[in-house]
Amino acid sequence: MSRLSLTNLPVAPAVDPRQLSVGVVHLGLGAFHRAHQAVVTERAAVATGDTRWGIAGVSQRSATVRGQLAPQDALYSVLERGLGDPSIQVIGSIRDVLTAPEDPEAVVARIADPAVSVVTLTVTEKGYRARGDGLDLDDAEIQADLTGRPPRTVVGQLAAAIARRVEPLTIVSCDNLVANGPFLRTLVAEYFDALGKVPDVFDATRFPASMVDRIVPATTDADREEAARLLGVRDEAVVVAEPFLQWVIEDDFAGDRPAWEQGGAVLTPDVAPWEQAKLRMLNATHSMLAYLGALRGYETIAEAVRDEELSSLARALMADDVVPTLSPPDGLDLTEYGATVLERFANPALKHRTTQVAMDGSVKLPVRMLGTVRDRLAAGAEPRIISLAVAAWMTYVLKTPNVDDPQADRLTSAVAGASTPTAVVDALLAVESIFTPDLRDSQVFRDLLIDHVSRLSGEW
């Protein structure tokens, strides 16, 4: 079977990819971007006929994605799996693919190109190389960038490109971080401070906050086979997604931008209420189901949701602990939103693996769960279910031989000598990069964690 390409297109695209010029650079060219921002950008181009907003995608780690996309003229398909029959669409908004480790200078040059006015990012929480509320200036890669090498960190790449520009950029973080845009601005500002020179254009560079939502599980061989059947050509870069897609963006841009609202995005003066609802309801529940599900031997989130006890706990997490901490945005019913979250998680077609969602817990917990714990404690409430979610992570760390986490060595070392639930809880609460002093010193929180870990471990 022939491979997807501009000469092997199963359906003529609404906008010819060959007509698109690059106006957007995206850092973090993984499956999520290809199933989300690239799709909205394509829809905007179809709706408006504006061909200025092709995407140059940058893989920050390996050449795998380039190896998938380059032989296909950067085309790929999105296979949507809902409750009915699957559907598929070919996306052509990505027009160039760069691999940062191979040519970091090319990445900086592309961002600095005057034709580019927007940069978007999906590099996961750990890609920001932050510590607490600021940049980790002790990070070896940040230090290497500061010495003047062609930058390989995201913050270093952005700073180097901003320093070369005359016109300001708009830089849109799409990662699950609280106030992600302002947070990224702080990191870049601290990088410039460490260099000892802040370029004039930085003041006009905008960092709008954004909130993204779409479940994008890992692509399997079965997915590739189904895509080939539906397309009639072979696609080595197919990504899988649920039908639901949401992108809420703060309307704060330095210059021209794609008409993303024409592609389904929501432009708003304040992203925070949307962001808090998503992080604390959807993301926290996703993580809790991943840890509890994995501990019970479930391979996928959908299997975990079908467990009546776990689905009941998920509902209780949102209703009892999360909703009281939220101020919902206009037009969002939190009760209805919570029900929708569980319906989406229960989609058996997605096969979102519990171990995939459980990755990187040390950077996910502070933004997904610990704010809720803090707010409930401040209100004088007992955060029983959200504490169970944190305890599930602790037990998962204890029981998983090779936990997939940027702090894996530290976490494994912390629990290595722990022989009681109390010892496990105290050892992990002492990891200051995760737990702040107010949480470590809370007797209510500690007691809840010890009780939950004791029950979950089943060994003491």
Side-chain angles (χ1 to χ4, degrees), residues 279-333:
L279 286 170
R280 294 191 177 192
M281 293 188 75
L282 184 142
N283 291 123
T285 304
H286 213 198
S287 288
M288 184 177 79
L289 287 169
Y291 298 125
L292 291 175
L295 291 170
R296 290 196 173 185
Y298 295 129
E299 183 179 353
T300 68
I301 295 295
E303 291 172 351
V305 175
R306 288 197 293 272
D307 183 310
E308 290 186 6
E309 183 182 4
L310 296 192
S311 64
S312 178
L313 287 170
R315 286 191 293 271
L317 171 70
M318 292 186 280
D320 297 349
D321 278 342
V322 176
V323 168
T325 72
L326 298 175
S327 298
D330 290 340
L332 182 64
D333 182 298

Side-chain angles (χ1 to χ4, degrees), residues 23 117 126 154 160 203 233 275 312 370 391:
S117 61
K126 62 186 176 184
V154 167
D203 285 341
V233 294
E275 171 189 78
S312 178
L370 299 186

Side-chain angles (χ1 to χ4, degrees), residues 189-347:
E190 291 179 356
Y191 186 94
F192 280 131
D193 287 343
L195 284 175
K197 183 178 181 181
V198 180
D200 293 339
V201 74
F202 182 63
D203 285 341
T205 297
R206 313 312 299 162
F207 291 79
S210 83
M211 187 275 285
V212 299
D213 190 4
R214 195 176 206 188
I215 297 174
V216 182
T219 303
T220 66
D221 288 340
D223 296 324
R224 281 182 276 271
E225 290 172 7
E226 181 143 37
R229 179 181 65 80
L230 293 171
L231 291 172
V233 294
R234 184 165 51 94
D235 179 7
E236 295 296 334
V238 60
V239 293
V240 181
E242 64 172 335
F244 183 92
L245 187 156
Q246 185 180 49
W247 192 6
V248 182
I249 312 168
E250 181 184 4
D251 194 1
D252 180 24
F253 291 82
D256 287 347
R257 61 169 178 83
W260 281 320
E261 67 275 24
Q262 298 294 317
V266 174
L267 275 292
T268 178
D270 186 9
V271 172
W274 298 88
E275 171 189 78
Q276 285 287 74
K278 192 253 182 173
L279 286 170
R280 294 191 177 192
M281 293 188 75
L282 184 142
N283 291 123
T285 304
H286 213 198
S287 288
M288 184 177 79
L289 287 169
Y291 298 125
L292 291 175
L295 291 170
R296 290 196 173 185
Y298 295 129
E299 183 179 353
T300 68
I301 295 295
E303 291 172 351
V305 175
R306 288 197 293 272
D307 183 310
E308 290 186 6
E309 183 182 4
L310 296 192
S311 64
S312 178
L313 287 170
R315 286 191 293 271
L317 171 70
M318 292 186 280
D320 297 349
D321 278 342
V322 176
V323 168
T325 72
L326 298 175
S327 298
D330 290 340
L332 182 64
D333 182 298
L334 293 178
T335 301
E336 182 179 329
Y337 180 67
T340 300
V341 164
L342 292 184
E343 288 174 7
R344 293 167 59 199
F345 289 168
N347 183 350

Side-chain angles (χ1 to χ4, degrees), residues 330-380:
D330 290 340
L332 182 64
D333 182 298
L334 293 178
T335 301
E336 182 179 329
Y337 180 67
T340 300
V341 164
L342 292 184
E343 288 174 7
R344 293 167 59 199
F345 289 168
N347 183 350
L350 291 178
K351 302 187 185 304
H352 210 175
R353 292 180 292 109
T354 52
T355 52
Q356 180 187 4
V357 181
M359 291 169 53
D360 305 335
S362 68
V363 288
K364 289 177 178 176
L365 255 66
V367 296
R368 296 184 177 195
M369 298 183 186
L370 299 186
T372 296
V373 174
R374 197 173 287 112
D375 287 351
R376 294 295 281 155
L377 290 171

Side-chain angles (χ1 to χ4, degrees), residues 398-457:
L398 178 69
K399 289 180 169 289
T400 304
N402 297 300
V403 63
D404 193 337
D405 192 286
Q407 297 192 59
D409 291 344
R410 186 174 186 183
L411 298 176
T412 302
S413 175
V415 300
S419 58
T420 67
T422 299
V424 171
V425 169
D426 287 342
L428 291 173
L429 281 177
V431 180
E432 68 280 357
S433 58
I434 304 174
F435 297 98
T436 50
D438 60 318
L439 295 180
R440 289 198 298 272
D441 296 341
S442 170
Q443 193 62 45
V444 172
F445 184 43
R446 179 174 177 270
D447 288 346
L448 286 169
L449 291 174
I450 292 170
D451 181 55
H452 289 314
V453 170
S454 181
R455 294 172 187 274
L456 290 170
S457 68

